[in-house]
Amino acid sequence: MKTNVLNRLVPEGYRPYQGAETYRNMTHQVIPEVKTTNINKVIHDIGKLFDRLDIQDGMTLSFHHHLRDGDAVMNMVLAEIKQRNLQNLTLAPSAIFPVHAPLVELIESGQVSNLYTNYVNGPVADAVTAGKLKGLLVMDTHGGRPRAIESGELKIDIAFIAVPACDPHGNGNGMEGPNACGVLGYPIADMKHARIKVAVTDHLIDVIKDGEIDGDYIDHVLVVDKIGDARHIVSGTTRPTHDPVQLKIAGNTIRLIEALGMIKQGMSFQTGAGGTSMAVAQLLKNRMTALGVKGSFASGGITGFLVDMLENGLFERLHDVQCFDLKAVESYRVNPHHLFMDASSYANPHHPDPIVNRLDLVILGATEVDLDFNVNVTTDSHDNIIGGSGGHADTAYGARLAIITTNLVKTRLPIIKDKVTTITTPGETIDAIVTERGIAIHPRRTDLIDMLKDTSLPVMTIEALRDKALAMTGKPDPIKHHDDVVGIVRYRDGTVIDCLYRKEDVTP
Amino acid sequence: MKTNVLNRLVPEGYRPYQGAETYRNMTHQVIPEVKTTNINKVIHDIGKLFDRLDIQDGMTLSFHHHLRDGDAVMNMVLAEIKQRNLQNLTLAPSAIFPVHAPLVELIESGQVSNLYTNYVNGPVADAVTAGKLKGLLVMDTHGGRPRAIESGELKIDIAFIAVPACDPHGNGNGMEGPNACGVLGYPIADMKHARIKVAVTDHLIDVIKDGEIDGDYIDHVLVVDKIGDARHIVSGTTRPTHDPVQLKIAGNTIRLIEALGMIKQGMSFQTGAGGTSMAVAQLLKNRMTALGVKGSFASGGITGFLVDMLENGLFERLHDVQCFDLKAVESYRVNPHHLFMDASSYANPHHPDPIVNRLDLVILGATEVDLDFNVNVTTDSHDNIIGGSGGHADTAYGARLAIITTNLVKTRLPIIKDKVTTITTPGETIDAIVTERGIAIHPRRTDLIDMLKDTSLPVMTIEALRDKALAMTGKPDPIKHHDDVVGIVRYRDGTVIDCLYRKEDVTP
């Protein structure tokens, strides 16, 4: 196998990662959009729908993850695939959660042989780690996925789009209905470019006036009892942490941001919904309020916490690709400054003006960071697949300041190490690592290092951070994995930044 | 010159009309949509914009007519064309009104040499009738125009789109701003397929959340003092007539509709904003109320009168392509059942499910009707161009019952005659002619004739109607026109249904 510029192996037939800016020199074509010619679209029986669709072995089916761990649509389709004994399918859900455990059986039987996704955890991740997938797991970023679809690289035969409220023509949105989950930013590329599009709804109403799902593209409207349970869209904490170590990290982070002059009029901001990130948001809110700073926008997956900041005038607007809680859903429904953002406008490197490129500041997590500032959020230190980039690599690239917040040590393992197990996000796009014991600035950012010279912040080299970690944990045994590649991690431009390897004993 | 199936001349190089259903056998391709790659879009000076656009002689520029006789955008562009002495341009506004009189000078100078439009009256119509246009006036229908654009037949270099409220990314709508004119249904094909797209606004705001104008397509946002005066969107009467003859026609029409069993649950309806049409709408409202009938939808250009019917529960929804008054604008802004409809979804014959095909009933006007039920709304009986199809031919085709209401005689001229001056809408798509002295049913509709046998309605042959008219007026002198073709009237499928001829003495 050849290697890429980060010295990671790249399977034959795939393009090696060549640097975060290389996409600028790539040609990028967008395939034509596919509109429907169907008139009578409503159907109430998934079996009859499958008969009409004429689904064949080897096809590619796509899904979105706006219902997160409350999604019932993919499992519904999987049950039909199983019953019909379809073989060798490729699935392309934008993310896979524990609720999708029924997929494991189809992976084991070979009925599903390839996966494209941006994030996977739970039983499916374990099955792939254990080498049960016949083909490959291809992991994209949230911006890389619409790039792959729009360019025709990822050809989708049938897109199944869970739509919380839908009319008979297939116009729909996520604002109404018993399972309103808010913004539907991820399926837009699928809706425009898949060969056949099915809207799946449990709330068929006469008319949808405003909605991102456009009936002109929708071939079939499948009405079911339940598309899932929107209460489960709340994953993780979505509240500021109370853990003293994480609070220390958050405190260091906000001091760093302020010392770098980033808390300023018109600032734009993104963070995740994890406890440390939320604590940073809480502190940022306090500082913005104290300083009388009004930001321009916050973006990404949106929590009620960011809605509060919008409503308190701390941001002019929210660019929302996915609602992380029901408060965000309601805000999207009523607030004219809470805006829809599809995945391509959010993060596609070939979009002319993606929101990530307008970000001043992003706060991101890590399962591991290495001396080159490469970040892993795809596997843990035991080589188990536990997540994926999502928007991590996209926002790190786009934001003027990309900060990784992380504990120096977790469960007696160092987080800062010589080499990360898996590279999700290249170090060249990371500006700072903030831990409870110190802060490392990427040496390329001499401007930042200069600005911090006369502060009391615990700035040190990444090597010093690594040494502190090792002093606490001792040198961990190297993890052994098989050479068998079970998946690839693609950078947002579609090049391979790293591989995922089979591991015999999957830590549950 | 060859002739078409209606025995009208067709200039060389154009496809002859072959029947209203022929489009079903035509292949129809849609060219790719053109998205922007611009990031900094806002510009405040039309001169600087023209420098950037690099407008060349011979290009095609398009406009929409939502501001109707209050539009200032086309004139603004014309002034710049004049100053730069650009030559041989083709203009493709969706309609032309008296306010566009400055265009006459550019027609006379040859700077504008070809016109594509769906409707033209006033000084520009007179200039074309007088033979002053170097090239041709091509008159399409409201559904034929997006067909021509989407298919690549009408190639637009630059679309100038008046947008009453716009943000810096070019997202916009017609609901806000000092010149809010409501739904922007006509420029959507231009927005998607023109090579370059300019949003012209007098109300630049930070964020537009909901709007049919999508910044992904918009290359430039030109900010001007005034895009026009939305108070002038009210053209014609938009109120029921008080004229006793027209009231008689309206009364006959409603009796006809009821006798044919068309006033029924779920009915769909369209009419224009003329006095007789509005009187029919008024009577329909009364009958629907009395009978407890709830319709499904009304469509087309929308008046406050139809808004009242929606608000009184007489229709479930409005499909609005253009607001005809400010009450309709406000309703569109606030009422979730007042829906946006672009021209293609409205009436494009190659759209899979255009709204016109779902119409039960349409009430239309005429300047002339002939013994084959062909209808003229393009010229008057003196051969002056005074209008055009707009949605006339589209709705007549689509509706299950297409009724023409007209005075038998106007200004001492017969309206029912052997041959219409110009064929706008083919008789094969017309079901009934209603006048103050009698009703004629198209002989093809034996089903309708049977249903009316035992009624007291004054049903007679079209020849009998013609004879009644001639008895009142005497046989008018035949109109003489030159053989020079100044324009063509295209059916919705793009075939030529008739020609427009030069006339030396244009009746003002």
Side-chain angles (χ1 to χ4, degrees), chain A residues 223-275:
Chain A
V223 182
V224 298
D225 286 343
K226 273 171 83 70
I227 58 171
D229 186 343
R231 287 171 302 177
H232 295 158
I233 67 175
V234 181
S235 312
T237 62
T238 75
R239 319 184 108 207
T241 183
H242 292 287
D243 174 86
V245 173
Q246 292 184 330
L247 284 173
K248 183 87 189 298
I249 298 167
N252 281 345
T253 305
I254 203 73
R255 287 169 63 207
L256 173 68
I257 295 167
E258 190 162 359
L260 293 173
M262 298 295 285
I263 305 181
K264 60 175 187 219
Q265 299 302 329
M267 66 179 288
S268 53
F269 172 69
Q270 181 165 336
T271 189

Side-chain angles (χ1 to χ4, degrees), chain B residues 315-331:
Chain B
F315 289 108
E316 277 177 16
R317 56 189 191 276
L318 302 178
H319 292 286
D320 186 347
V321 68
Q322 166 169 60
C323 296
F324 277 149
D325 57 32
L326 298 178
K327 182 168 179 176
V329 175
E330 179 58 14
S331 167

Side-chain angles (χ1 to χ4, degrees), chain A residues 157-440:
Chain A
D157 290 295
I158 305 167
F160 291 92
I161 305 175
V163 183
C166 197
D167 74 18
H169 301 290
N171 300 305
N173 65 42
M175 291 184 279
E176 300 165 58
N179 286 300
C181 59
V183 171
L184 302 175
Y186 291 117
I188 302 302
D190 311 52
M191 177 187 85
K192 291 183 175 169
H193 299 289
R195 192 164 58 80
I196 298 169
K197 281 76 72 130
V198 180
V200 185
T201 194
D202 51 12
H203 188 62
L204 184 72
I205 57 179
D206 185 45
V207 165
I208 295 285
K209 181 172 181 176
D210 298 314
E212 48 263 27
I213 303 301
D214 180 347
D216 284 358
Y217 297 98
I218 302 297
D219 298 287
H220 306 281
V221 176
L222 175 65
V223 182
V224 298
D225 286 343
K226 273 171 83 70
I227 58 171
D229 186 343
R231 287 171 302 177
H232 295 158
I233 67 175
V234 181
S235 312
T237 62
T238 75
R239 319 184 108 207
T241 183
H242 292 287
D243 174 86
V245 173
Q246 292 184 330
L247 284 173
K248 183 87 189 298
I249 298 167
N252 281 345
T253 305
I254 203 73
R255 287 169 63 207
L256 173 68
I257 295 167
E258 190 162 359
L260 293 173
M262 298 295 285
I263 305 181
K264 60 175 187 219
Q265 299 302 329
M267 66 179 288
S268 53
F269 172 69
Q270 181 165 336
T271 189
T276 307
S277 296
M278 296 296 290
V280 174
Q282 174 73 63
L283 294 172
L284 179 65
K285 180 181 176 184
N286 297 346
R287 288 309 292 151
M288 288 175 77
T289 306
L291 296 167
V293 162
K294 176 161 185 160
S296 54
F297 72 83
S299 57
I302 297 295
T303 57
F305 193 85
L306 289 169
V307 169
D308 278 339
M309 292 181 79
L310 175 70
E311 290 174 354
N312 288 322
L314 296 176
F315 290 107
E316 279 177 14
R317 56 190 190 276
L318 302 178
H319 292 286
D320 186 347
V321 69
Q322 166 168 61
C323 295
F324 278 148
D325 57 33
L326 298 178
K327 182 168 180 178
V329 174
E330 178 58 15
S331 167
Y332 174 55
R333 211 173 60 76
V334 300
N335 193 323
H337 292 85
H338 189 146
L339 303 173
F340 170 76
M341 171 172 74
D342 68 79
S344 195
S345 308
Y346 169 34
N348 178 351
H350 291 287
H351 188 283
D353 189 21
I355 294 288
V356 294
N357 288 5
R358 295 190 228 152
L359 272 174
D360 290 320
L361 176 62
V362 66
I363 311 293
L364 296 164
T367 59
E368 298 176 326
V369 180
D370 71 21
L371 298 184
D372 294 322
F373 287 73
N374 297 317
V375 180
N376 180 13
V377 289
T378 306
T379 54
D380 63 17
S381 297
H382 300 289
D383 232 341
N384 300 299
I385 299 168
I386 49 81
S389 172
H392 196 285
D394 301 305
T395 52
Y397 173 84
R400 267 156 290 292
L401 185 66
I403 297 178
I404 303 294
T405 61
T406 181
N407 295 43
L408 198 57
V409 167
K410 271 184 214 157
T411 59
R412 272 169 287 168
L413 286 170
I415 302 301
I416 317 286
K417 50 204 295 193
D418 292 354
K419 294 282 175 201
V420 289
T421 307
T422 307
I423 302 177
T424 311
T425 298
E428 64 170 303
T429 64
I430 302 297
D431 300 298
I433 312 291
V434 180
T435 72
E436 71 277 22
R437 310 276 300 261
I439 297 172

Side-chain angles (χ1 to χ4, degrees), chain A residues 32-33 35-39 169 192 206-210 216-217 316-317 331-340 342 345 351-353 358, chain B residues 32-33 35-39 169 192 206-210 216-217 316-317 331-340 342 345 351-353 358:
Chain A
E33 297 185 357
K35 299 220 172 151
T36 187
T37 55
N38 278 9
I39 295 177
H169 301 290
K192 291 183 175 169
D206 185 45
V207 165
I208 295 285
K209 181 172 181 176
D210 298 314
D216 284 358
Y217 297 98
E316 279 177 14
R317 56 190 190 276
S331 167
Y332 174 55
R333 211 173 60 76
V334 300
N335 193 323
H337 292 85
H338 189 146
L339 303 173
F340 170 76
D342 68 79
S345 308
H351 188 283
D353 189 21
R358 295 190 228 152
Chain B
E33 298 184 358
K35 299 221 171 150
T36 187
T37 56
N38 277 8
I39 294 177
H169 301 290
K192 290 184 175 169
D206 184 46
V207 165
I208 296 284
K209 181 173 182 175
D210 297 314
D216 284 357
Y217 297 98
E316 277 177 16
R317 56 189 191 276
S331 167
Y332 175 55
R333 212 173 59 75
V334 301
N335 192 323
H337 291 86
H338 189 144
L339 302 173
F340 170 75
D342 68 80
S345 308
H351 188 283
D353 188 22
R358 293 190 229 154

Side-chain angles (χ1 to χ4, degrees), chain B residues 408-417 466-478:
Chain B
L408 198 55
V409 167
K410 272 184 214 157
T411 61
R412 275 170 284 168
L413 285 171
I415 300 302
I416 315 287
K417 48 204 296 192
R466 185 258 333 255
D467 294 343
K468 274 178 192 272
L470 289 186
M472 294 165 74
T473 61
K475 202 172 168 70
D477 295 333

